[in-house]
Amino acid sequence: MKNKFENNIGLIFILIACQITFAQKKDENIGTEVVNVVKPYTPTISDAFKVKEIPSLEDVDNSKKEDVKYNFFSFPVASTFVPIKGRAAVVEKPQTEKLYKNFANVGLGNYTTLNTELFVTENFSDHEYIGGMFRHLSSQGGIKDVALKNDFSTTSLDLTYGNQLQNLTWISDLGFKNQLYNWYGIPENLSQLLIDRINPKHTFNNLYIGTNLSLTDSFFKDASLKYNRFWDTYGSVENRFYVKPSFEFELLRKKLKTNLIVDYLGGSFDKNFQGTSKIKYGFTNFGIHPSVAVNKNDWAINIGASVFYSANNENSNSKIFVYPQVNASLKVVGDFMIFYTGIEGSLNQNSYCDFSNENPFVSPTLAIAPTDKQFDLFAGIKGKLSNNVSYTLRSTVQNEKNKPLFKTNEFNMFSSNSESYQFGNSFGVVYDYVRTVSLFGELKADFNKNVTIGLNGSYSRFFTTFQEEAWNLPTLILGSNINVNITKKWFAGANLVYVGERKDIVYIQSMITIFPPAYYSETTNIKGYLDANFNIGYNHNEQLTGFIKFNNIANQSYQKWLNYPVQALQVVLGASYKFDF
């Protein structure tokens, strides 16, 4: 077998060697040959075809594409960084101040001054309550260089009932006030014999009852009613009743608001200033004031008018008055500057009660009549200088017919029935046609919760028709106030008021006629005055607070009314307490 395999191999090698020998001969010359091209070569372009963007797959083994999933193999990295855990910022929540239902205040000061207040309230249910207020302020006088008694006191008691239902709010009030004053402002150089004849004490009493109603979801919006009875120790009596309902209607997609008023006043004085007859007065005024509000872009306009029918019950005559009631405002620069203007008028009913509250030294012999405020034309700007500073500027022109002016009464001390108010120490009321041109400015700043400041001032010019001067009306009035929370416990405040020069009549004894003495009148200037007050307090806790007040710090016995100096520096020390039953 072995010999056969070896023989085959040998045969194969012999055949290969023979083939190589016949394929090429060593040094054999092949030769050359010329080739002639008969036709030139012309290349052609075959038909082109578009390659499909998505080629067809004819692979029978084509299968669905498999989703590729990626996995991350994490491994720790050495690091020295340690993140700080986040923590929410702490918001300081202010402590809610507890509100107490009742309040008491007591203060004692020099001039034997006593000032007390007590307010209590009690809820009957979730919508009913009753409250009461008692107030008393008195001083035993002691004004320097005053010959007559100059003590005064004011005591008042008020009761209130309130009921608040779903669509109705009802509040009723019942009150009584007693005031005591003295006609101590006698002229200089009055003889002691005449001074001894004067009993300067004068007392006012006021009893009132009133109700206020307010409705929602009704054309009848609200109404107020009040009856007031006022009388004094000289036989004077005054009754006043008024009702003021208000309605609101929808008209041509605008809200039409209508205010009505019925105002009755009737009273009498036991005698006139000369003591010759009794004085009676009475007026009934009916008024209607429709208005409509229009808002367009940055304009807010209120257009209306007032019509009054006034009946003089004592003289059997009546008058009709018509007044404009138009005002408008325009936002010039948002809330930072608002321009406003308007013209308004009204019939204002004067009363003995109102006069005595403004000037407690009037005599019980006044002429009472309403004031025809023909128009009050005003224009100004208001707004903010910043988020916590606001301002107001206003100019005004007023025309008032029968404007009341306080004027010193003349001497009538030699009549057989002379009264204690007839020694040049009381004031009467005179009426005049007065035009007033005034400028007013105010600035308020709330720098933070702890400091508030206010400044205001007005300058007025008065043009009278029949009177020589606008008696007892100041040309310039300036005011300022500041309140500061020094700490959580301590607080302080101050206010200043400057009232400019005024004019009145002074009566001077004639040197020609000695007995009976004769007096002639002369216009005099009442100096302006500055009244500065300061207070500081300490909150012992949320219920108990102590305080001390300093009034008239300048220690000036200035005259608010002619021949009526006020108390000098006044110091009052007291405390207030809030509590619940």
Side-chain angles (χ1 to χ4, degrees):
M1 184 73 181
K2 181 178 179 183
N3 292 331
K4 187 177 181 178
F5 177 75
E6 292 177 350
N7 293 331
N8 290 335
I9 294 174
L11 182 62
I12 292 170
F13 278 107
I14 292 171
L15 291 173
I16 293 172
C18 291
Q19 180 67 26
I20 296 172
T21 302
F22 289 109
Q24 184 172 352
K25 294 181 179 181
K26 185 177 180 180
D27 298 327
E28 182 176 358
N29 189 6
I30 299 176
T32 59
E33 185 175 356
V34 178
V35 178
N36 296 323
V37 178
V38 178
K39 183 179 179 180
Y41 173 71
T42 304
T44 61
I45 300 176
S46 63
D47 294 337
F49 63 95
K50 181 180 180 181
V51 179
K52 295 183 179 180
E53 294 180 357
I54 303 177
S56 61
L57 299 177
E58 298 178 354
D59 191 354
V60 295
D61 294 332
N62 184 34
S63 59
K64 183 179 179 181
K65 186 177 180 180
E66 295 290 337
D67 293 333
V68 179
K69 295 183 179 179
Y70 297 92
N71 294 319
F72 295 92
F73 298 96
S74 60
F75 57 92
V77 177
S79 175
T80 59
F81 172 72
V82 179
I84 300 175
K85 294 182 179 180
R87 185 172 58 182
V90 178
V91 178
E92 191 173 320
K93 185 178 180 181
Q95 185 178 1
T96 304
E97 183 180 357
K98 182 178 179 181
L99 300 178
Y100 293 89
K101 297 181 181 179
N102 310 303
F103 171 86
N105 179 80
V106 178
L108 297 173
N110 59 336
Y111 298 101
T112 320
T113 299
L114 174 63
N115 186 7
T116 61
E117 290 180 322
L118 176 64
F119 176 76
V120 294
T121 182
E122 184 63 33
N123 294 333
F124 290 146
S125 63
D126 293 338
H127 55 83
E128 283 184 291
Y129 70 91
I130 187 172
M133 171 70 82
F134 172 79
R135 292 179 177 176
H136 176 81
L137 173 62
S138 63
S139 178
Q140 296 305 309
I143 301 176
K144 186 179 179 181
D145 299 329
V146 172
L148 297 173
K149 289 184 178 181
N150 49 85
D151 57 310
F152 66 89
S153 69
T154 300
T155 305
S156 63
L157 177 64
D158 298 271
L159 299 175
T160 301
Y161 169 78
N163 193 339
Q164 186 171 4
L165 302 175
Q166 184 175 2
N167 297 320
L168 172 66
T169 301
W170 170 28
I171 300 176
S172 295
D173 297 294
L174 174 65
F176 174 79
K177 181 164 69 171
N178 173 269
Q179 296 173 281
L180 184 151
Y181 291 95
N182 288 277
W183 287 299
Y184 65 86
I186 55 177
E188 296 179 358
N189 303 321
L190 197 65
S191 67
Q192 188 63 44
L193 181 63
L194 294 178
I195 294 175
D196 293 338
R197 293 175 52 186
I198 301 174
N199 178 17
K201 185 177 179 180
H202 191 203
T203 302
F204 303 111
N205 297 287
N206 188 18
L207 176 67
Y208 69 88
I209 182 171
T211 297
N212 290 278
L213 299 173
S214 179
L215 284 82
T216 58
D217 300 329
S218 173
F219 72 94
F220 176 74
K221 303 305 294 182
D222 54 65
S224 59
L225 303 89
K226 187 175 182 179
Y227 169 73
N228 191 89
R229 180 174 176 84
F230 185 78
W231 69 98
D232 65 9
T233 51
Y234 279 77
S236 308
V237 178
E238 182 179 82
N239 295 290
R240 187 174 186 181
F241 172 79
Y242 67 78
V243 55
K244 299 178 180 179
S246 179
F247 303 89
E248 194 172 277
F249 304 92
E250 191 80 18
L251 180 64
L252 299 177
R253 297 182 180 181
K254 301 292 182 182
K255 287 186 177 181
L256 177 64
K257 187 175 182 180
T258 302
N259 297 326
L260 303 177
I261 181 173
V262 178
D263 189 351
Y264 166 81
L265 177 73
S268 64
F269 295 103
D270 191 56
K271 60 179 70 176
N272 59 12
F273 188 77
Q274 290 74 24
T276 57
S277 62
K278 191 173 184 177
I279 300 176
K280 288 185 178 183
Y281 57 93
F283 298 89
T284 304
N285 300 324
F286 301 90
I288 181 172
H289 172 205
S291 63
V292 60
V294 179
N295 296 318
K296 188 174 182 180
N297 298 329
D298 291 330
W299 280 98
I301 306 174
N302 195 295
I303 304 173
S306 294
V307 180
F308 281 87
Y309 173 82
S310 180
N312 189 329
N313 302 328
E314 294 297 326
N315 297 330
S316 300
N317 64 347
S318 58
K319 295 181 180 180
I320 295 179
F321 303 90
V322 180
Y323 303 102
Q325 297 286 348
V326 180
N327 58 76
S329 64
L330 171 64
K331 290 185 176 181
V332 181
V333 188
D335 292 333
F336 290 92
M337 181 180 290
I338 300 174
F339 169 77
Y340 64 97
T341 184
I343 180 169
E344 299 175 348
S346 181
L347 183 67
N348 299 328
Q349 181 61 67
N350 300 305
S351 67
Y352 183 32
C353 179
D354 294 338
F355 286 148
S356 64
N357 287 329
E358 186 176 356
N359 183 353
F361 308 112
V362 292
S363 64
T365 60
L366 304 179
I368 305 297
T371 296
D372 176 13
K373 190 176 181 179
Q374 296 177 330
F375 65 83
D376 180 357
L377 177 63
F378 60 90
I381 57 174
K382 60 182 179 180
K384 297 180 179 180
L385 297 177
S386 64
N387 290 331
N388 50 14
V389 180
S390 61
Y391 66 93
T392 300
L393 296 173
R394 183 175 68 243
S395 61
T396 303
V397 178
Q398 292 183 6
N399 263 26
E400 295 174 281
K401 189 176 181 179
N402 283 346
K403 181 179 178 63
L405 303 171
F406 293 109
K407 183 180 177 183
T408 300
N409 283 323
E410 60 185 5
F411 282 84
N412 192 31
M413 55 191 168
F414 296 105
S415 62
S416 58
N417 56 350
S418 61
E419 298 286 354
S420 296
Y421 52 80
Q422 295 178 323
F423 294 81
N425 57 339
S426 66
F427 296 84
V429 173
V430 295
Y431 294 88
D432 199 1
Y433 193 142
V434 181
R435 171 169 290 185
T436 305
V437 179
S438 62
L439 296 174
F440 172 81
E442 185 177 37
L443 186 68
K444 293 182 178 180
D446 296 329
F447 294 108
N448 50 49
K449 295 180 180 179
N450 298 321
V451 180
T452 60
I453 296 177
L455 301 170
N456 62 79
S458 65
Y459 175 80
S460 303
R461 290 287 306 274
F462 305 99
F463 302 91
T464 59
T465 303
F466 303 106
Q467 299 293 322
E468 297 177 13
E469 301 286 347
W471 309 115
N472 282 291
L473 293 181
T475 300
L476 181 64
I477 300 177
L478 301 175
S480 66
N481 63 80
I482 180 172
N483 293 287
V484 180
N485 291 325
I486 304 171
T487 65
K488 291 183 178 180
K489 294 289 187 179
W490 290 93
F491 63 91
N495 65 80
L496 293 87
V497 177
Y498 174 78
V499 178
E501 188 178 87
R502 293 135 291 143
K503 295 183 182 297
D504 203 342
I505 290 291
V506 64
Y507 292 91
I508 301 174
Q509 184 175 355
S510 174
M511 300 304 296
I512 299 177
T513 305
I514 299 177
F515 188 85
Y519 291 84
Y520 64 93
S521 62
E522 187 177 273
T523 301
T524 185
N525 294 330
I526 308 174
K527 293 182 180 180
Y529 63 88
L530 176 66
D531 188 7
N533 308 292
F534 174 76
N535 69 86
I536 187 169
Y538 176 77
N539 294 315
H540 178 69
N541 52 42
E542 62 180 5
Q543 291 182 267
L544 180 62
T545 300
F547 62 85
I548 183 170
K549 296 181 179 180
F550 302 90
N551 298 328
N552 194 6
I553 299 175
N555 198 30
Q556 296 180 348
S557 293
Y558 60 82
Q559 296 183 19
K560 185 176 181 180
W561 304 99
L562 181 64
N563 295 327
Y564 278 90
V566 302
Q567 295 172 341
L569 175 65
Q570 305 147 38
V571 181
V572 177
L573 179 65
S576 60
Y577 183 71
K578 295 178 286 187
F579 60 96
D580 287 332
F581 288 121

